[in-house]
Amino acid sequence: MRTRLILIVVAVLLLVPVVGVGVLLFTEAGVNLIASQLHRLERFNIKIEGLSGTLAGPLRVARFELNHPRVHVISQNIVIDPQLRGLMIQTLQTGYVRVGESLVELRQVDMPKSDRPPRFLPSFLRVDARNVELTNVRYVHANGTTVNAKTIRGRVTATSNRLHARDFSIDADLFDATGDLRLRAAATADLP
């Protein structure tokens, strides 16, 4: 009788974390937990509004804004299919990303000198976004040149110092383009 009680207690102790992780991933409880912490990103000039769905997918964001001195990005109606297996290797992976509307404004600004190297992401993080599709994209260059694109499609992989867009295609008002693009985070003086 005592052995059976011990086995039941052990089984319950083993099941509680599994059930807890399941609740966080497959119900809105996990998203609500993250949504309650999004205000912390505002000190980095990032605002995320209208987060809903589940962490197992699909995940929805009503509005994303990055207001950096060099670039201002506003995206709306975002749907993401996260692939949780990537988290084991510190990678944010997606099955697909759909963005309904975006505005990207590049700014010319003189930034104070910094000893820290420029980077796209924190050094511990990697992003692998497959099947990315942006519609209704407006790009405004620092000199005022504006380009409107109906769609931009591709796959994007980003690390702290590299950004790689593979098999991308752009359907814009003024041009169409396809190809691969690689960017390296570097100060202007470091570029060849």
Side-chain angles (χ1 to χ4, degrees):
M1 183 68 167
R2 186 171 186 187
T3 305
R4 187 187 309 195
L5 180 62
I6 291 173
L7 287 174
I8 291 172
V9 169
V10 168
V12 167
L13 289 175
L14 292 175
L15 284 176
V16 166
V18 171
V19 170
V21 168
V23 167
L24 289 176
L25 294 179
F26 298 102
T27 68
E28 286 207 23
V31 171
N32 292 338
L33 182 65
I34 291 172
S36 69
Q37 300 301 313
L38 290 177
H39 68 277
R40 296 174 187 258
L41 293 174
E42 290 182 17
R43 69 180 178 182
F44 301 108
N45 298 317
I46 297 173
K47 289 183 185 177
I48 298 175
E49 299 171 356
L51 186 63
S52 64
T54 67
L55 295 176
L59 191 60
R60 291 176 171 70
V61 178
R63 186 173 190 274
F64 168 87
E65 181 175 6
L66 169 65
N67 195 6
H68 186 273
R70 293 187 177 169
V71 66
H72 183 221
V73 177
I74 300 174
S75 294
Q76 298 181 40
N77 303 323
I78 304 165
V79 180
I80 304 168
D81 178 32
Q83 304 290 301
L84 299 175
R85 65 184 172 267
L87 293 177
M88 290 186 274
I89 55 171
Q90 294 178 321
T91 300
L92 296 178
Q93 276 183 327
T94 66
Y96 65 82
V97 176
R98 305 284 183 264
V99 181
E101 187 175 347
S102 294
L103 168 67
V104 179
E105 296 174 308
L106 192 62
R107 300 173 176 158
Q108 185 66 37
V109 64
D110 291 327
M111 299 287 290
K113 272 211 176 263
S114 174
D115 294 334
R116 296 184 330 177
R119 59 185 183 190
F120 294 113
L121 297 171
S123 60
F124 63 86
L125 185 61
R126 175 183 160 95
V127 173
D128 185 14
R130 299 175 183 148
N131 300 311
V132 176
E133 182 176 321
L134 294 86
T135 55
N136 302 318
V137 179
R138 181 177 185 89
Y139 169 78
V140 181
H141 194 70
N143 67 7
T145 303
T146 301
V147 176
N148 294 311
K150 295 176 191 118
T151 59
I152 299 175
R153 292 184 179 94
R155 176 179 181 174
V156 177
T157 303
T159 63
S160 64
N161 59 357
R162 300 209 185 275
L163 188 131
H164 185 193
R166 289 187 293 274
D167 302 322
F168 76 84
S169 66
I170 300 173
D171 178 14
D173 292 342
L174 302 175
F175 63 88
D176 293 335
T178 60
D180 281 14
L181 174 70
R182 293 174 194 243
L183 297 175
R184 181 173 54 100
T188 346
D190 296 342
L191 297 176

